[in-house]
Amino acid sequence: MLSRKTGESLLIDDFQVRVGWIRFNKVQLVVSGVGDMLPVEQILYMNETVKVTTEIEIVVIQIRDEKVRLGITAPPGTDFARL
């Protein structure tokens, strides 16, 4: 689990996940990848999930004020970096 604010990102392998905005009980996550992949914008509520790949998924654990807490399911050996 990790927390992110609006505009903050994390890197999961070759995918960047950025918090576009946080409003009340929903959050916008923008997932972009390598190559010609266009960014995918997803609006999520608590306990909703976005699949980054078939093996990597992100779930919204908590939305509070200016932060969102995300849970990440990924296979062993997956690289993570906070941006």
Side-chain angles (χ1 to χ4, degrees), residues 5-39:
K5 294 180 181 179
T6 299
E8 292 183 336
S9 300
L10 64 126
L11 201 60
I12 306 173
D13 281 342
D14 293 330
F15 295 92
Q16 181 177 359
V17 180
R18 181 177 54 84
V19 177
W21 47 258
I22 300 169
R23 293 191 187 126
F24 306 109
N25 63 343
K26 57 187 170 185
V27 61
Q28 178 196 47
L29 295 182
V30 181
V31 179
S32 54
V34 295
D36 295 332
M37 179 183 167
L38 294 174

